[in-house]
Amino acid sequence: MSRISVDIGGTFSDAVYVNNEGRLFHGKGFTSHGEYGRGVMEAIKALGVDVHDVEVFPHGTTVALNAILEGKTAPTGLITTRGFRDVLEIARYGRKDMYDLQQQKPKPLVSRIWRLEVSERLDWQGIMLQALDPNEVRERLRQLCDGGIRSVAVCLLHAYRNGQHERMIKAIAAEEFPELTVSISSEVAPQWREFERTSSTILNASTAPIVCEYLVSLTGGTMDVGMRAPILVMQSNGGVMSAEDAKVRPIMTLMSGPVGGVTGAAQLARQLHLSKLMTLDVGGTSADVALILDGEPVMSTESRVGDWPILTHSVAIHSVGAGGGSLIRIGPGGAFRVGPESAGSKPGPVCYDRGGQEPTVTDANVCLGRIDPLYFLGGAVVLDAEKARCAFEENVLPTLNLTVEEAAEGAVQVINTIMARAIREIAVARGHDPAEFTLLAFGGGGGLHAALVAAAVGMRRVIVPPLPAHFSAMGILGADMRHDLAQMVLTRANQADLNGLNNLFSELRQQGQQKLTLEGFRTDYIQFGHSLEGRYVGQDETLTVPVSYPLANVETVTTEFADLHRQTYGYDLKSPVEFVSLRVTAIGKASLIQMPDHGANSKTAVPAATRIRRTYFGELGGYVDCPFYERYSLPANLPVIGPAIIEEEASTVLVPPGWKAYADSHMNLILDAQGE
Amino acid sequence: MQDKVNPIMVEIIRNKLTAIVREASTALYRAAFSTIVREMKDYSNSLHDASGNLVAQAEGIPIFLGSMSHPLYALLDKYALAEMEEGDVYISNDPYLGGGTHKNDINVMMPYFVESNVVLFVVSKAHWMDVGGKDPGSWSPNATDSFQEGLTIPPVKLYSRGRLIREVEDLILQNTRLQEINRGDYLAQIAACFTGRKRLDALFTELTWPIVQESIKELNLQSELAIRERIRNIPDGVYHGIDYVDSDGIGETPIPVEVEVRIRGDEVEVDFSRCPSQSLGACGNSALPRTVSAVRTAMRAILAPDLPSNQGLFEPIRIVAPKGTVVNPEPPAPVTLGGLVGRAIVEAILFAFSEVAPERTMAGQFGGTFSCLFTGLNPRDNNIFVFLQVAGGGWGAKHNADGISTITSINNGFMVDCPVEVLESETPLLVEQYALREDSGGDGQFRGGLGVRQDFRVLSEGVYLSATMDRYRIPPPGVKGGLSALGNQVVIKQDGLETIHNLLNRLPVPEGAIISQQSGGGGGFGLPLNREGASVREDVLQGYISPLKARTVYGFGQG
């Protein structure tokens, strides 16, 4: 089956194509902000392949995310329970900075004028205290319509327990106000905490028209080039969904890009049987880390986009402001600082010679000789190493009694420490010791930092997949179709009705089956996962316990919950267990991508360096002769001993002293720490 | 790793130390059980040197800043470093003998050894929901001595060489009302300390103590140099500020907190010599550690919100706080609600700086910790419940912008509210309204932020309400011609009658009564008549101010 995937990045849109024989092609287009579809089509054209027979076209899109970050969402109205229209603006009293008196609170996503109330009320168990009046609903919808509002978010108190009132509002709107697009909280984010749920629902409503317009235009673009494959969109949960679903639940696309890489990592973890894997995705401005356990990404139910919380079931990604563009500066009191401010893609690092004045991490790597200025992007761009050196001399050296190389290597050490901290934070928060993990590094800058970051947290193995700069697009290419279905139940385990739970599971399974069948999946390609979210009564956070269907008894679930609690938090309790919600994951399996075996060079006896460059390593006393290798010329399974640099078109891998590297038979580069 | 200290090594070590205190905080948060720790984030973890000075601190609550050192100073007065052993853990809460803030804040302290010498301390502080005393929640605005406010724990050993001293644990927990929840929280604090120790062990496998010690010195020096430079940029002189706490919880006389700030070169002296003698009641005293941290909070907010937390920041700041005054009371004066005086200290200093650096300050904010504490029997499980909601309110307007609406008090940092859907699931309360308070902001060229009202309907018998607040009589002031804002109040509606209250001590509230917690706004900046018409129009449109106010105060819509 031939497929194309595209990942829209900040500067470039990456396309990857696999034909029927498993041959890979990749292409790039410039991302044009505001016209993302154009960048996608450019990247597809750059592949230079015939797209008529493409059968699957999944892609990762940042359209909704960027609209939120740039404050360019569609005007939206809110309908909520009487007495609660200000929940959004109160925002739990949160502040951004602990001390700063001059800070501002983020402007509410919906201004107070368009936050309207209806009389109705449910209690904490979802029992109705006051009925909804359809006429009042009509009045409110009319008000919004007359004000020119077309997107409406509905978030009523305790709707995560009972969505009936919200569905009534949606039905009235659909029948009598067809010009309105309505998002309801019980469908978008059926979880408690009214502020976070309101924020999620509004973000969904306010990005829906933008995503819709984008998908319509992209469909036009693909039709023009004769591509008939339906457009699929990468979701934050690691699966893809249809364009029609994406128009209704754009909030599920918010982590679309970074999740692509994590999904690819999960596929690789399954292929290589790695039970504990962490990802390190280093771009220009940030480094993203995620955990993969037994081939599945670790998920979270709450995350943030810009200033706003969202409650969706998403791959847990921890992001820190550390990347190739991170600025190296002298801070207050003569402190040496790297990031989180970044030179971004404009003006970019000094060595790009596009107006950057302050040195960045990429400049540091150039000064150390680890990036060859003549081989950047395969030689397509020549970097100005001299300008990078000058930037250090002018900005950093006057206060630091050091050489350019010492300062540059110091900056790399600092940024590595920051990335290592991010890795520790995400692992430790879930009760894991990072030293037990393998690190998978990708993104343009992953390979340059991974081994040293791994060493800092006690990891001994790093993997750099083929085409690391296109890894997100690769991950999207192999992603399964996925629908996450949930129902809040809030019942004590000892009072739970087994048949009732199984009936709910069965209902959710049917919903999933229906969707996947409509999307063209044969029954033998459909899989289900089942889980219960539980907590001890009185506790706030929940743990997700995978269960088998049908449930045989409740006691096993409670025992497994206690086990999981002990593993995660280090203890369990005698308190009663409460089931909060029930989840079904319906998956339409994508067929596996057959990666070609390692090619022609496997007969070569020893790895041959393409050239030797003077490269700086403080621990070796300064400059040493360092061999540079061309990645795809390396013979399989024969080690390269560090220090060494392994290059490919859009990425560089550093094999530090004390490490060795070899290419495995799947073209992955494996780096191992040597000795004790 | 390298063996010489340079700014790069210092920065790497700063990141590693930050990672260690954050990891300790993660351990505490993950294991903690009480709502106040889990939902409201009332805790902090820090690292200190062997003399107790702050080395690194995880983000939490500003008032803990600096007050984290005092329990260690008290510990070190009592125990010599030489008698401490590996695996020892100490506990304390005595606000005079090093508790720092109030008795609810429990300090857990663990010495850290390198080559059998104590070189650092790992400290964990968390707010326990109850530490005994006369009222549930240990939250008594009308307490008249410290013994009524709960159990006093002087610095004592809780673990000896890694083993729990059961007698001490029993003695502490059995003097509190919520033993199981407290046990969960203190185990979480212990877990935080052990996590800190484990991470320090890892740090010292790659670095030697002399290198780390030298780097800590450098870090302090960096902060000190930076803050000295900023002080130097403020003109030398003597500046006055005054703010008030409405009542000490017993009497009706406002307590003036007066401060003289003297700037000379790169040093600041903050002098409280004109403050009155200590108060009889619990709302009118701030124990010295709290006073010190209030001063530090103010100085950081004005001069250095961006600098890392360590001892160096505080070197150029001298504090004069005579004994026996409201800012340095002598035992056994009650101090649990000293946060109110602490708040007044912060703002008195802000007002002093308003004279000379208005661009770095703001007008008066809504007040200190404005809390409603509900206790009683929860009919759903027949257990005692203690529920504390701390309201946010408006911050003062600034020289170039309106004040922020509905935000935590300056002193309370990242503390947040308990969501309505969570509190209704856990307590016999139903929230009828949670909304901005129209017209509560102080008027001015720039308007103060708005306060908020949250109305709780009581759903069962036998519920009691305690409330703490300030700025209910003397409202949040404006500056430079800006007007004052509405203050804080609790309105109780029952049997068709509304009554207005301020401080409350275990008032029985009948089933069906509605308790409205209404917080104040922030003061205005500049004359209201100088406010732009478009801003007034927008405020009316959004319902932030009433049309009446637009007409009468801003002269809007006339003619």
Side-chain angles (χ1 to χ4, degrees):
Chain A
M1 197 173 2
S2 66
R3 8 181 169 177
I4 283 182
S5 71
V6 178
D7 175 41
I8 306 181
T11 315
F12 295 110
S13 295
D14 286 332
V16 179
Y17 170 75
V18 185
N19 70 9
N20 289 321
E21 288 89 52
R23 242 189 103 196
L24 260 180
F25 298 80
H26 56 89
K28 272 184 187 302
F30 272 104
T31 300
S32 42
H33 290 259
E35 280 180 292
Y36 295 96
R38 199 204 287 182
V40 172
M41 292 318 297
E42 249 183 57
I44 290 176
K45 283 171 196 154
L47 290 167
V49 299
D50 179 10
V51 295
H52 284 84
D53 65 337
V54 169
E55 286 161 273
V56 185
F57 173 41
H59 82 300
T61 173
T62 50
V63 174
L65 180 68
N66 286 346
I68 295 167
L69 296 181
E70 292 163 13
K72 291 178 181 159
T73 51
T76 299
L78 173 72
I79 295 182
T80 187
T81 305
R82 179 157 311 287
F84 294 92
R85 69 163 167 160
D86 289 330
V87 160
L88 180 75
E89 191 162 348
I90 293 167
R92 301 192 65 186
Y93 309 136
R95 63 168 98 159
K96 281 196 210 170
D97 187 280
M98 174 101 88
Y99 300 101
D100 189 3
L101 300 173
Q102 310 305 319
Q103 66 186 299
Q104 289 294 336
K105 215 169 153 174
K107 201 166 163 258
L109 292 162
V110 175
S111 95
R112 202 164 188 241
I113 309 168
W114 303 119
R115 303 198 302 255
L116 308 183
E117 299 179 340
V118 288
S119 303
E120 68 84 44
R121 189 66 151 89
L122 305 176
D123 76 359
W124 64 284
Q125 298 178 89
I127 297 169
M128 192 176 74
L129 301 178
Q130 185 184 4
L132 182 71
D133 172 9
N135 285 326
E136 195 185 10
V137 172
R138 287 185 187 100
E139 258 171 58
R140 298 292 166 263
L141 292 170
R142 165 67 51 213
Q143 254 174 290
L144 291 173
C145 262
D146 291 350
I149 300 281
R150 292 295 171 264
S151 293
V152 179
V154 180
C155 186
L156 305 180
L157 223 53
H158 296 297
Y160 58 94
R161 287 302 303 266
N162 175 354
Q164 207 189 340
H165 283 175
E166 289 191 346
R167 286 194 298 271
M168 280 169 65
I169 296 176
K170 192 178 174 179
I172 293 172
E175 201 159 305
E176 301 172 32
F177 301 87
E179 64 271 50
L180 294 180
T181 313
V182 177
S183 298
I184 63 176
S185 82
S186 48
E187 284 175 7
V188 172
Q191 295 185 50
W192 71 354
R193 288 207 182 97
E194 62 279 2
F195 166 63
E196 287 82 352
R197 197 170 68 256
T198 304
S199 157
S200 309
T201 313
I202 293 171
L203 289 178
N204 195 69
S206 64
T207 51
I210 293 159
V211 169
C212 197
E213 189 187 306
Y214 155 79
L215 285 170
V216 167
S217 121
L218 183 60
T219 310
T222 56
M223 305 248 274
D224 288 348
V225 298
M227 215 161 99
R228 284 183 305 261
I231 295 172
L232 301 176
V233 183
M234 190 71 203
Q235 307 183 65
S236 308
N237 64 12
V240 289
M241 60 179 162
S242 68
E244 288 317 301
D245 279 351
K247 289 175 189 169
V248 181
R249 296 197 63 190
I251 194 173
M252 284 308 296
T253 70
L254 290 178
M255 304 294 281
S256 196
V259 162
V262 182
T263 306
Q267 295 157 21
L268 196 76
R270 292 193 287 266
Q271 189 192 354
L272 302 179
H273 307 290
L274 297 167
S275 61
K276 292 184 171 183
L277 185 68
M278 289 196 75
T279 60
L280 175 67
D281 177 0
V282 181
T285 55
S286 69
D288 294 341
V289 296
L291 279 175
I292 292 160
L293 295 174
D294 299 319
E296 294 294 334
V298 168
M299 309 293 282
S300 88
T301 48
E302 182 171 351
S303 46
R304 280 192 98 75
V305 168
D307 293 321
W308 303 99
I310 47 172
L311 298 175
T312 53
H313 200 56
S314 320
V315 172
I317 294 181
H318 184 33
S319 193
V320 285
S326 295
L327 292 167
I328 301 162
R329 287 177 166 168
I330 300 298
F336 183 77
R337 293 283 148 79
V338 186
E341 297 82 11
S342 166
S345 54
K346 270 181 200 164
V350 177
C351 60
Y352 285 16
D353 200 13
R354 288 198 300 213
Q357 299 290 326
E358 290 181 275
T360 65
V361 169
T362 297
D363 293 311
N365 278 311
V366 168
C367 288
L368 295 169
R370 295 173 187 179
I371 293 176
D372 183 347
L374 300 177
Y375 192 77
F376 193 68
L377 291 176
V381 180
V382 175
L383 301 181
D384 192 331
E386 200 40 49
K387 275 220 164 87
R389 284 189 72 87
C390 288
F392 272 95
E393 280 163 4
E394 284 164 21
N395 292 283
V396 183
L397 294 198
T399 34
L400 283 186
N401 189 20
L402 297 172
T403 64
V404 168
E405 289 79 7
E406 284 169 335
E409 189 169 47
V412 170
Q413 283 169 348
V414 170
I415 208 82
N416 288 346
T417 309
I418 293 169
M419 291 182 202
R421 198 175 84 192
I423 283 180
R424 281 208 64 87
E425 279 169 358
I426 191 166
V428 167
R430 285 168 175 79
H432 295 283
D433 178 359
E436 294 166 8
F437 284 72
T438 300
L439 186 64
L440 182 78
F442 52 92
L448 266 172
H449 297 274
L452 294 171
V453 171
V457 296
M459 293 176 174
R460 310 203 38 94
R461 171 166 283 191
V462 171
I463 301 177
V464 185
L467 301 178
H470 303 274
F471 193 69
S472 285
M474 293 288 294
I476 293 166
L477 198 64
D480 298 324
M481 184 74 93
R482 173 166 173 154
H483 301 287
D484 276 338
L485 306 153
Q487 174 65 49
M488 200 131 175
V489 286
L490 220 63
T491 168
R492 291 205 179 188
N494 55 9
Q495 295 163 5
D497 161 25
L498 189 68
N499 283 336
L501 291 179
N502 276 328
N503 288 342
L504 281 175
F505 270 130
S506 159
E507 269 174 42
L508 295 181
R509 280 171 67 102
Q510 273 169 24
Q511 287 176 27
Q513 173 103 30
Q514 252 173 22
K515 292 197 114 182
L516 289 168
T517 310
L518 276 176
E519 283 156 2
F521 284 87
R522 293 204 328 246
T523 315
D524 51 338
Y525 276 79
I526 295 178
Q527 289 179 359
F528 293 101
H530 312 83
S531 55
L532 275 167
E533 263 183 54
R535 62 165 187 239
Y536 288 116
V537 171
Q539 225 175 12
D540 190 50
E541 299 209 344
T542 58
L543 287 174
T544 304
V545 188
V547 297
S548 52
Y549 172 82
L551 275 178
N553 62 64
V554 174
E555 292 71 38
T556 326
V557 185
T558 0
T559 318
E560 277 171 17
F561 171 81
D563 290 345
L564 187 62
H565 197 275
R566 211 166 33 249
Q567 188 197 321
T568 316
Y569 296 124
Y571 66 90
D572 59 302
L573 293 166
K574 299 263 179 299
S575 319
V577 174
E578 185 173 45
F579 297 142
V580 176
S581 45
L582 178 141
R583 288 187 181 277
V584 166
T585 304
I587 286 174
K589 296 298 290 179
S591 54
L592 279 180
I593 303 165
Q594 290 304 324
M595 282 298 246
D597 246 8
H598 202 282
N601 300 299
S602 48
K603 289 180 205 87
T604 322
V606 281
T610 51
R611 60 199 185 287
I612 306 284
R613 273 174 53 80
R614 301 289 285 165
T615 304
Y616 187 89
F617 292 94
E619 62 182 298
L620 301 179
Y623 278 102
V624 294
D625 285 335
C626 178
F628 277 55
Y629 298 90
E630 211 291 299
R631 173 165 181 178
Y632 299 107
S633 312
L634 286 179
N637 299 319
L638 281 173
V640 164
I641 308 295
I645 300 284
I646 301 173
E647 297 171 300
E648 65 185 289
E649 196 181 298
S651 162
T652 305
V653 177
L654 169 67
V655 188
W659 287 68
K660 62 179 181 179
Y662 66 92
D664 75 359
S665 52
H666 303 289
M667 306 208 311
N668 297 303
L669 204 54
I670 315 285
L671 279 69
D672 284 327
Q674 289 182 291
E676 229 317 287
Chain B
M1 210 170 246
Q2 300 140 333
D3 49 4
K4 62 177 199 282
V5 174
N6 61 34
I8 290 160
M9 175 64 83
V10 170
E11 179 65 5
I12 290 171
I13 288 177
R14 181 178 76 88
N15 271 288
K16 286 179 184 278
L17 294 172
T18 309
I20 291 170
V21 286
R22 280 201 196 164
E23 223 169 282
S25 271
T26 303
L28 193 161
Y29 175 75
R30 275 162 33 81
F33 216 69
S34 63
T35 328
I36 193 155
V37 171
R38 295 188 65 91
E39 277 290 340
M40 296 161 83
K41 310 198 167 65
D42 196 349
Y43 63 92
S44 191
N45 288 286
S46 54
L47 274 179
H48 301 256
D49 64 20
S51 50
N53 290 332
L54 181 66
V55 169
Q57 183 166 14
E59 301 82 351
I61 290 187
I63 209 66
F64 287 169
L65 177 81
S67 73
M68 299 290 278
S69 288
H70 292 269
L72 281 173
Y73 298 152
L75 179 77
L76 292 167
D77 275 348
K78 184 171 165 187
Y79 296 93
L81 288 177
E83 56 183 302
M84 296 180 182
E85 293 179 278
E86 199 127 3
D88 287 356
V89 177
Y90 299 84
I91 186 167
S92 75
N93 83 334
D94 184 339
Y96 291 103
L97 266 184
T101 35
H102 48 204
K103 285 184 169 176
N104 298 72
D105 288 339
I106 304 285
N107 306 290
V108 172
M109 302 163 278
M110 176 192 260
Y112 182 80
F113 291 78
V114 171
E115 288 165 4
S116 25
N117 292 315
V118 178
V119 296
L120 293 167
F121 283 95
V122 187
V123 179
S124 174
K125 192 193 258 291
H127 183 116
W128 288 15
M129 273 317 299
D130 186 279
V131 288
K134 77 185 181 76
D135 298 312
S138 319
W139 203 247
S140 316
N142 65 356
T144 49
D145 74 40
S146 178
F147 299 103
Q148 298 168 356
E149 300 184 303
L151 170 73
T152 303
I153 313 171
V156 291
K157 205 188 271 189
L158 179 64
Y159 276 66
S160 180
R161 301 164 74 178
R163 294 201 25 206
L164 174 70
I165 306 169
R166 178 75 57 199
E167 293 77 1
V168 174
E169 189 201 57
D170 285 350
L171 189 63
I172 292 172
L173 289 180
Q174 294 192 14
N175 276 290
T176 69
R177 293 181 181 84
L178 301 168
Q179 292 182 33
E180 276 315 298
I181 292 176
N182 287 344
R183 187 193 305 278
D185 282 355
Y186 110 72
L187 286 175
Q189 290 179 267
I190 298 282
C193 289
F194 278 93
T195 300
R197 182 172 85 171
K198 203 169 129 196
R199 297 315 308 155
L200 284 170
D201 285 347
L203 181 74
F204 287 111
T205 57
E206 46 179 323
L207 293 164
T208 62
W209 167 243
I211 293 271
V212 175
Q213 188 177 29
E214 191 58 33
S215 299
I216 291 170
K217 259 193 220 153
E218 278 299 314
L219 282 170
N220 284 327
L221 197 62
Q222 285 176 358
S223 294
E224 187 180 336
L225 286 174
I227 197 158
R228 281 189 189 277
E229 191 184 320
R230 294 181 193 181
I231 297 170
R232 217 178 295 120
N233 286 335
I234 294 181
D236 280 8
V238 180
Y239 307 102
H240 296 269
I242 187 166
D243 202 349
Y244 301 86
V245 175
D246 290 326
S247 153
D248 67 350
I250 304 287
E252 289 296 311
T253 325
I255 301 154
V257 174
E258 198 171 348
V259 64
E260 203 169 275
V261 176
R262 302 186 196 99
I263 296 182
R264 265 180 309 242
D266 59 4
E267 308 233 315
V268 184
E269 188 171 70
V270 182
D271 188 341
F272 294 100
S273 295
R274 294 193 196 172
C275 282
S277 301
Q278 65 189 61
S279 312
L280 182 63
C283 300
N285 295 311
S286 161
L288 183 63
R290 195 194 274 278
T291 296
V292 171
S293 63
V295 172
R296 291 174 174 181
T297 300
M299 298 308 290
R300 251 197 105 158
I302 297 165
L303 294 170
D306 56 325
L307 297 179
S309 295
N310 59 44
Q311 196 70 27
L313 278 183
F314 315 132
E315 291 299 335
I317 303 166
R318 206 174 94 80
I319 299 169
V320 181
K323 271 201 171 164
T325 61
V326 293
V327 295
N328 188 6
E330 297 199 80
V335 294
T336 286
L337 298 162
L340 301 173
V341 173
R343 193 280 309 157
I345 292 172
V346 172
E347 292 202 65
I349 296 172
L350 289 187
F351 297 151
F353 274 88
S354 289
E355 289 180 40
V356 60
E359 73 287 353
R360 290 179 173 272
T361 64
M362 64 182 189
Q365 53 127 36
F366 72 100
T369 298
F370 175 16
S371 68
C372 279
L373 180 96
F374 295 88
T375 58
L377 207 61
N378 192 341
R380 289 181 204 152
D381 56 8
N382 280 320
N383 284 333
I384 292 177
F385 78 94
V386 176
F387 170 68
L388 180 70
Q389 186 74 300
V390 177
W395 273 16
K398 290 161 273 202
H399 73 289
N400 61 354
D402 289 348
I404 302 173
S405 295
T406 70
I407 180 166
T408 44
S409 174
I410 295 187
N411 300 27
N412 286 345
F414 292 141
M415 202 191 244
V416 292
D417 70 353
C418 183
V420 172
E421 291 173 345
V422 174
L423 82 88
E424 289 189 353
S425 300
E426 292 174 358
T427 65
L429 297 170
L430 183 88
V431 178
E432 302 219 317
Q433 188 180 1
Y434 194 18
L436 297 175
R437 254 177 109 190
E438 183 181 293
D439 282 345
S440 58
D443 300 295
Q445 181 184 355
F446 296 101
R447 175 180 50 71
L450 302 188
V452 76
R453 71 179 283 180
Q454 188 164 28
D455 295 3
F456 304 89
R457 180 186 287 275
V458 180
L459 299 179
S460 76
E461 294 292 338
V463 174
Y464 294 85
L465 170 68
S466 295
T468 66
M469 70 185 84
D470 55 1
R471 295 226 197 271
Y472 54 86
R473 190 179 303 134
I474 302 169
V479 298
K480 308 264 176 199
L483 304 185
S484 56
L486 291 188
N488 297 311
Q489 61 184 13
V490 167
V491 179
I492 300 180
K493 191 153 79 172
Q494 67 188 88
D495 306 327
L497 276 178
E498 282 193 6
T499 45
I500 295 176
H501 303 260
N502 42 65
L503 298 169
L504 290 171
N505 208 92
R506 238 172 110 66
L507 179 79
V509 280
E511 184 176 348
I514 293 172
I515 318 297
S516 181
Q517 184 177 18
Q518 304 184 353
S519 67
F525 188 106
L527 292 170
L529 287 171
N530 291 340
R531 187 165 178 79
E532 276 183 32
S535 302
V536 179
R537 185 197 309 272
E538 181 65 16
D539 278 356
V540 173
L541 198 66
Q542 298 284 350
Y544 296 146
I545 69 170
S546 60
L548 178 69
K549 192 175 221 188
R551 240 181 3 257
T552 53
V553 179
Y554 293 98
F556 187 72
Q558 292 171 339

